[in-house]
Amino acid sequence: MDRRAPVFHTLGCRLNAYETEAMKELSANAGLGDTVVVNTCAVTGEAVRKARQEIRKLRRENPDATLIVTGCAAQTEPQTFARMTEVDRVIGNTEKMQPQTWRNLAGADFIGATEKVQVDDIMSVTETAGHLIDGFGTRSRAYVQVQNGCDHRCTFCIIPYGRGNSRSVPAGVVVDQIKRLVGRGYNEVVLTGVDLTSWGSDLPATPRLGDLVMRILKLVPDLPRLRISSIDSIEVDPNLMQAIATENRLMPHLHLSLQHGDDLILKRMKRRHLRDDAIRFCEEARRLRPEMTFGADIIAGFPTESEAHFENSLRLIDDCGLTWLHVFPYSPREGTPAARMPAVDGRDIKARAARLRAAGAARVEAHLSAQIGQAHQVLMESPRMGRTEQFAEVAFTSDQPESRIVTATIKGKSGNQLLA
């Protein structure tokens, strides 16, 4: 058998990308060869359709390889992929992080069609995977998974059924990994998870995310920059607000899981915050840290959304002072309560998503324009591109030391980039 290295294709979120890096290491240790692995996303029906499309394309390009499908879509609907003639194996989200799975896959005996699917009940999993990786993506920034799963049941979301209930990595394990990353030269660490602000709810003494952040900053004094990925603002604890106010090494950029700006739609989504809660949080965070910028997820065209409901989402962009928007046109996800609610016309969904994106683009333009003449600490991701503390891209006209933090005065902007 040709022992060329496995080829991995990642669809979906940053956590999937993190886990793909872990699988690369696990498969290499197992000696797996001539294999294509597709790590799928299940966040929308469209994501599953794209996964099937990608699988067919990869089979055409790799006719003799073993093709393995894993990730959230494989977890939530394994038989969809098992029925595809292009697919050899379907592996669940728990199994993909276990060394024994990859040792079995690398074994000489191919397991036949009767055992094509290896997907266990994700809800029975009580621990996060013990496998840790020492950073990925760039040589400057490392991502550390501190939490997996979600205990909430938003009416549009299938992810808890792909990821299971919330599980946290103990603080001591997280701190040790970050120390190792700093020792290897990483200047920024990003904490990631499915429902990051639920970190600690399953640990002894039920610590909160703010406790973890403060502990990292105290016990890893050589870490220059700590960044938090997407959070649920209603779950933010006092220690996290304290860190925002007092810890300059915590980056002034938060991505918020807001989803909508209208109270009735938020209730139908089964979200736990109201419009005023989101506005109040943004105002308080910006009062504590005036340079704070916000990104947000917003869904356009959720079932029953009227024009008036939508206008509340549009106004939320200014009311919260949002900058970086992730706009999602609603698409029904089979198996979720929202899929049974009265749908919005597809043309209206598309038009509303475009209006949200246009409003977001205007906010980005305003943010970048305001940086001209300002000095920033820029983490270099490549010799001529880095990011500010608020995660804006900065292009340089001359080479800078890669993975280092440099001080730069912003001279202008071009598109969505600042120029230094």
Side-chain angles (χ1 to χ4, degrees):
M1 182 181 182
D2 181 3
R3 304 304 292 182
R4 65 186 179 128
V7 176
F8 286 82
H9 290 262
T10 305
L11 305 170
C13 68
R14 177 63 66 177
L15 188 55
N16 253 14
Y18 177 100
E19 290 173 345
T20 291
E21 294 302 310
M23 287 190 286
K24 286 180 182 177
E25 191 172 312
L26 290 167
S27 64
N29 291 342
L32 189 67
D34 203 14
T35 303
V36 175
V37 182
V38 184
N39 196 9
T40 62
C41 172
V43 70
T44 63
E46 176 67 10
V48 177
R49 188 193 69 79
K50 286 183 177 178
R52 290 166 59 85
Q53 186 179 49
E54 182 75 2
I55 287 163
R56 294 189 185 102
K57 171 175 169 284
L58 290 168
R59 174 51 79 198
R60 289 193 297 270
E61 294 172 353
N62 303 273
D64 299 322
T66 299
L67 198 150
I68 297 169
V69 179
T70 187
C72 289
Q75 182 69 46
T76 56
E77 43 187 291
Q79 294 308 319
T80 294
F81 299 98
R83 286 192 294 266
M84 295 180 70
T85 57
E86 296 87 353
V87 175
D88 295 309
R89 299 295 299 277
V90 182
I91 305 296
N93 263 338
T94 299
E95 291 77 15
K96 74 181 184 183
M97 302 301 284
Q98 295 172 344
Q100 189 59 47
T101 299
W102 299 95
R103 288 195 288 268
N104 292 343
L105 290 166
D109 297 326
F110 178 73
I111 299 176
T114 56
E115 295 187 50
K116 184 176 183 178
V117 176
Q118 189 179 346
V119 179
D120 288 339
D121 177 15
I122 195 76
M123 293 302 176
S124 67
V125 180
T126 58
E127 295 181 355
T128 48
H131 192 84
L132 299 172
I133 59 171
D134 285 347
F136 76 96
T138 70
R139 291 168 51 196
S140 55
R141 179 179 298 106
Y143 294 81
V144 175
Q145 181 187 354
V146 303
Q147 185 274 340
N148 204 343
C150 184
D151 291 338
H152 310 301
R153 297 295 181 264
C154 298
T155 58
F156 55 85
C157 187
I158 199 81
I159 295 306
Y161 304 98
R163 289 287 178 179
N165 293 317
S166 182
R167 292 100 67 200
S168 308
V169 178
V173 175
V174 175
V175 168
D176 286 346
Q177 187 185 11
I178 293 175
K179 285 180 178 177
R180 193 164 66 246
L181 291 166
V182 172
R184 293 186 60 224
Y186 286 93
N187 281 316
E188 182 174 299
V189 165
V190 186
L191 303 182
T192 69
V194 173
D195 181 27
L196 195 57
T197 33
S198 72
W199 179 89
S201 60
D202 58 324
L203 296 176
T206 59
R208 303 290 299 276
L209 181 62
D211 302 323
L212 177 63
V213 167
M214 296 292 267
R215 186 167 177 179
I216 291 167
L217 292 169
K218 179 181 178 181
L219 297 181
V220 196
D222 294 335
L223 172 66
R225 289 162 65 141
L226 180 66
R227 198 178 288 279
I228 298 172
S229 63
S230 182
I231 63 169
D232 199 338
S233 59
I234 199 69
E235 288 187 324
V236 169
D237 60 280
N239 258 355
L240 186 53
M241 298 305 288
Q242 176 74 4
I244 289 169
T246 62
E247 296 285 356
N248 287 333
R249 291 185 293 146
L250 179 62
M251 292 296 95
H253 167 245
L254 294 172
H255 190 84
L256 309 177
S257 178
L258 297 182
Q259 310 306 343
H260 211 274
D262 184 86
D263 285 350
L264 180 60
I265 298 297
L266 287 167
K267 288 177 180 177
R268 288 174 177 166
M269 287 178 165
K270 210 174 176 182
R271 301 293 294 167
R272 287 160 301 125
H273 73 274
L274 297 174
R275 174 192 182 84
D276 284 349
D277 296 322
I279 296 170
R280 192 160 41 246
F281 171 79
C282 292
E283 288 175 345
E284 178 64 6
R286 194 173 280 113
R287 183 186 70 79
L288 296 172
R289 193 85 175 269
E291 69 271 31
M292 180 67 76
T293 61
F294 300 105
D297 297 329
I298 299 183
I299 295 174
F302 184 82
T304 76
E305 180 189 76
S306 67
E307 183 64 26
H309 296 146
F310 169 73
E311 289 289 343
N312 278 333
S313 275
L314 203 57
R315 281 195 294 272
L316 190 70
I317 297 170
D318 286 332
D319 291 346
C320 282
L322 306 177
T323 299
W324 316 108
L325 293 190
H326 288 178
V327 175
F328 297 90
Y330 175 79
S331 66
R333 192 68 181 86
E334 188 178 348
T336 62
R340 301 190 297 271
M341 297 179 186
V344 174
D345 185 276
R347 291 164 296 184
D348 289 335
I349 294 175
K350 186 175 181 181
R352 290 171 187 176
R355 289 168 66 190
L356 284 170
R357 291 188 179 114
R363 293 288 309 191
V364 171
E365 171 82 10
H367 172 72
L368 298 181
S369 295
Q371 308 313 308
I372 297 173
Q374 302 292 319
H376 278 281
Q377 298 296 305
V378 179
L379 177 66
M380 300 305 302
E381 296 182 4
S382 66
R384 296 203 178 188
M385 198 283 284
R387 289 188 186 269
T388 67
E389 305 93 323
Q390 292 96 346
F391 215 61
E393 280 193 11
V394 183
F396 289 75
T397 55
S398 60
D399 287 355
Q400 305 295 317
E402 191 173 351
S403 81
R404 300 288 294 275
I405 297 172
V406 301
T407 301
T409 299
I410 304 304
K411 299 175 181 176
K413 64 180 179 65
S414 175
N416 284 341
Q417 280 189 329
L418 295 171
L419 304 176

